Amino acid sequence: MSNKPNNSIEEAETFTMVYDSVRRAKMVNGIQFKAIDKLLYSYLLGWQASKDDPANKKVTKVNSSVRELQKELGVSKGTVETSLKTLEKMGLILIKSGGVGFSNEYDVIKFSEIKATNQEVKVDDFMKKRQEYRENQKLNKQVDPVPVVQETNKGELKDFDFNDDPFLNDCGMHVCHDADFDDHLSTKPQKSIKSVVKPQDGRICEHCYFDNVERHWDCGDSKCRNNKIPF
């Protein structure tokens, strides 16, 4: 089997030109210039150059659809839409709505007319500023003071307000601090306990004792008359 020569003419490979000033820029009008933004801007800038070329009669406007940009750049639809909004904030493009069913039209501004810097955003500086901000927030945060309980004598408390107890308030409890409550807290003399008077006339010996349950005299000595337990 013989190999037939391939006489088909390959299509010329196209490319997107990226200017050095675009490639080196880190910030544009205070906004970080990411790689996807540079690629999309350079792609649209190429179409703008073709539109502005008097010799080119084919390109009359830059109106690539989001789907076409997604296919050409090899990124997702959301990435293209986000990058277009970023370029518009930078002032690199002007988006004109094409209406329902039509693609948007873009006016691409020359990069030389835009304020761009090579200043790089340093992550360490950003983290340092964020840490300082959080520390200031903690210092400015108002903390409710906790009531201090002062001890005087043992078992006594001084200057404690039962109406403003944060623990009881959090538990949903309300302490009534009225006259009855004060009267309850006040120290009252304890009533003396009446001692049981035992009749002494029934004691016979030193082992005799009075049984308060049975209400009679008994004795631990078996020889005593008061001993009620038979042996």
Side-chain angles (χ1 to χ4, degrees), residues 31-122:
I31 303 176
Q32 187 178 5
F33 203 9
K34 299 180 181 179
I36 182 59
D37 302 330
K38 297 176 182 180
L39 181 59
L40 178 57
Y41 171 72
S42 299
Y43 180 80
L44 295 177
L45 187 62
W47 283 104
Q48 184 71 34
S50 300
K51 172 189 172 183
D52 297 339
D53 187 3
N56 193 334
K57 303 297 182 181
K58 295 182 179 180
V59 181
T60 58
K61 56 184 178 180
V62 182
N63 62 341
S64 300
S65 63
V66 174
R67 182 176 298 179
E68 182 180 355
L69 294 174
Q70 175 186 353
K71 179 180 178 181
E72 291 293 331
L73 302 181
V75 295
S76 64
K77 178 182 177 182
T79 302
V80 172
E81 293 176 345
T82 303
S83 183
L84 287 173
K85 293 179 181 178
T86 303
L87 294 177
E88 188 176 25
K89 291 179 181 179
M90 291 178 178
L92 292 174
I93 63 174
L94 297 176
I95 302 177
K96 299 178 182 179
S97 178
V100 180
F102 295 93
S103 302
N104 294 334
E105 184 177 353
Y106 308 99
D107 285 339
V108 187
I109 311 302
K110 292 181 180 181
F111 197 73
S112 58
E113 301 176 3
I114 302 299
K115 182 181 179 181
T117 62
N118 293 330
Q119 183 180 1
E120 186 176 0
V121 179
K122 295 183 179 180

Side-chain angles (χ1 to χ4, degrees), residues 38 58 102 104 134 173 204 210 224:
K38 297 176 182 180
K58 295 182 179 180
F102 295 93
N104 294 334
R134 290 183 176 179
M173 301 174 62
I204 298 176
F210 186 79
C224 184

